[in-house]
Amino acid sequence: MLLPRLGHPTALAGRLDARVAFDAGPNEQWSIHINGRTVSLSPGLDPEADTTIRSDAETLLGVIEGRVSGVEAFLDGRLTVRGNLSLSLQMEGMFAMDAPRPARFPRPDHVVAADIDTFYLEAGEGPPVVLVHGLGATNASMLPPLWDLARDHRVLAPDLPGFGDSSKPFRSYNAEFYASWLAAFLDETGIERADIVGNSMGGRIAIELGLVAPERVNRLVLLAPSPAFIKHRQFTGLVKYLRPELAFVPLPLPHKRVVASTKQLFSKPERLPDAWYDAAADEFRRVFDSPSGRMSFFSAARQIYLEEPARPGSGTGSRRCSRRRCSCGASRTAWCRPSSRRGSNAPSPLRPRSCSPTAATSPSSNFPRRRTP
């Protein structure tokens, strides 16, 4: 059996009390117990391990000793993770070795931003890019762009407040709060201006930061964002009843159900390996299993689904559509204005109606501040 050579634990190890098992086959298994700055290595798989990492022996040795990036090995299928996915990511750079690790290799770290203890991954050097994940996810959902962009950018992927390994205070998780936190995160990491990449709820947060602090944003990249002007909200009726107080009621979620629900988010779920779905489901259940994790999820979900679109600030003749569905197909929460046929802007039910510019395209528009707990 080949046991890895461990360097000195870094400051990040001092925050942990965790057990990690490494499995490279029946004859190549070992475990690490991290308790503060004390680390012990033993042969065999620890039955109480918080996470189990499986790969071939050479890859596992390389990850522990800092010669191989665990993120790269995970993305190309050489390594799988079950259990605490965030803990496995923190193994990157956990031990200081003699040779420096390549700049592209992700580096886990913590900062306190807006009174939130924020866990994040950083990789690469160059112009800064910040990756903002979506509802119910963690920074692990942004590993593919993090690894690719780290070739020639400084990339940071934080766990949003209320998710992952960032702190989860009992509060309202609305876009205003997240934008304020994101600006503070940029301050704490020494970034004046960055490209912001937001997925789903992260896209809504990126938009809010661009509205309230445009000087901090170089470019916005929105991946299936969830802004207020979304046309269909099939879960609105259910979300109205997701009061944060329900977080104190245990809600067990079977692993298979979480995997099935996750696959429904993709038009072609078969394009992703099953190991990714298993890892994502483990991570979601780990966070959702705690009352603070459920409270954060419920509060953020209410903000997304119950936020109302705002009236565009530009153009004349705009008024709220009173019908359930406009002839243009917009929902009744959309702002519509009559077309300018016959040179008139006066509202008329006899003229065809067309949707006015949404908040995404109207520079003077803004999102309302509908506060829900």
Side-chain angles (χ1 to χ4, degrees):
M1 177 181 295
L2 296 176
L3 292 180
R5 180 179 63 88
L6 299 181
H8 299 292
T10 62
L12 186 63
R15 306 172 61 96
L16 296 176
D17 182 5
R19 299 172 184 269
V20 182
F22 297 87
D23 185 359
N27 299 321
E28 296 292 346
Q29 298 173 336
W30 58 87
S31 300
I32 294 176
H33 181 202
I34 306 169
N35 186 6
R37 299 298 291 269
T38 302
V39 179
S40 58
L41 177 67
S42 60
L45 296 180
D46 188 338
E48 299 180 357
D50 299 288
T51 186
T52 300
I53 302 175
R54 291 183 170 88
S55 184
D56 60 273
E58 181 61 28
T59 298
L60 289 182
L61 285 170
V63 170
I64 295 176
E65 296 176 353
R67 297 180 286 103
V68 175
S69 169
V71 169
E72 180 185 22
F74 176 79
L75 293 177
D76 65 20
R78 288 181 291 150
L79 180 148
T80 63
V81 179
R82 292 302 308 270
N84 188 331
L85 180 58
S86 177
L87 177 59
S88 68
L89 293 174
Q90 294 180 55
M91 296 303 298
E92 293 266 11
M94 178 70 71
F95 306 103
M97 309 304 293
D98 297 334
R101 301 171 72 246
R104 189 183 179 189
F105 283 18
R107 306 175 293 278
D109 207 346
H110 285 258
V111 294
V112 177
D115 296 325
I116 299 294
D117 184 19
T118 304
F119 170 67
Y120 69 100
L121 296 173
E122 180 174 347
E125 297 175 336
V129 178
V130 178
L131 309 177
V132 188
H133 66 77
L135 177 68
T138 68
N139 57 12
S141 67
M142 307 300 278
L143 289 181
L146 180 141
W147 179 252
D148 289 340
L149 292 172
R151 290 189 181 96
D152 49 10
H153 291 79
R154 179 192 177 193
V155 189
L156 295 89
D159 276 340
L160 288 173
F163 297 90
D165 277 8
S166 293
S167 57
K168 304 169 181 63
F170 189 85
R171 58 155 299 122
S172 178
Y173 288 86
N174 54 30
E176 287 176 297
F177 161 70
Y178 276 125
S180 175
W181 162 83
L182 185 52
F185 177 75
L186 295 178
D187 291 337
E188 294 299 327
T189 52
I191 299 175
E192 294 185 4
R193 189 179 180 91
D195 295 339
I196 309 296
V197 180
N199 171 232
S200 188
M201 183 179 74
R204 173 65 183 92
I205 296 169
I207 292 173
E208 185 72 12
L209 181 67
L211 290 170
V212 301
E215 71 281 359
R216 309 303 301 270
V217 178
N218 184 30
R219 287 174 292 188
L220 290 179
V221 180
L222 307 178
L223 309 176
S226 54
F229 54 80
I230 190 169
K231 184 176 178 181
H232 300 294
R233 300 185 185 185
Q234 62 269 35
F235 298 115
T236 299
L238 172 64
V239 172
K240 288 181 178 179
Y241 296 98
L242 289 182
R243 300 290 304 178
E245 293 82 357
L246 291 176
F248 296 98
V249 179
L251 295 173
L253 292 176
H255 180 85
K256 290 184 178 180
R257 179 178 298 179
V258 177
V259 169
S261 298
T262 304
K263 288 185 176 182
Q264 291 178 357
L265 299 175
F266 300 93
S267 61
K268 297 181 179 180
E270 68 278 2
R271 296 179 63 181
L272 298 180
D274 289 339
W276 289 19
Y277 290 112
D278 285 331
D282 287 344
E283 191 71 347
F284 177 83
R285 294 175 66 218
R286 178 181 71 87
V287 178
F288 194 78
D289 192 49
S290 68
S292 59
R294 291 193 294 271
M295 178 275 300
S296 304
F297 180 87
F298 293 158
S299 178
R302 286 174 61 84
Q303 298 301 326
I304 290 176
Y305 281 98
L306 303 184
E307 184 181 37
E308 293 287 348
R311 175 173 179 165
S314 60
T316 59
S318 297
R319 65 187 181 90
R320 192 64 171 268
C321 177
S322 60
R323 292 184 289 176
R324 182 175 181 83
R325 185 71 59 181
C326 294
S327 59
C328 62
S331 68
R332 61 180 176 179
T333 60
W335 287 90
C336 297
R337 64 184 176 192
S339 64
S340 56
R341 286 188 179 183
R342 301 179 185 175
S344 172
N345 286 328
S348 170
L350 301 179
R351 296 195 183 99
R353 304 169 66 87
S354 61
C355 286
S356 63
T358 65
T361 58
S362 178
S364 59
S365 64
N366 203 340
F367 290 90
R369 302 296 181 255
R370 177 169 181 171
R371 300 182 182 276
T372 52

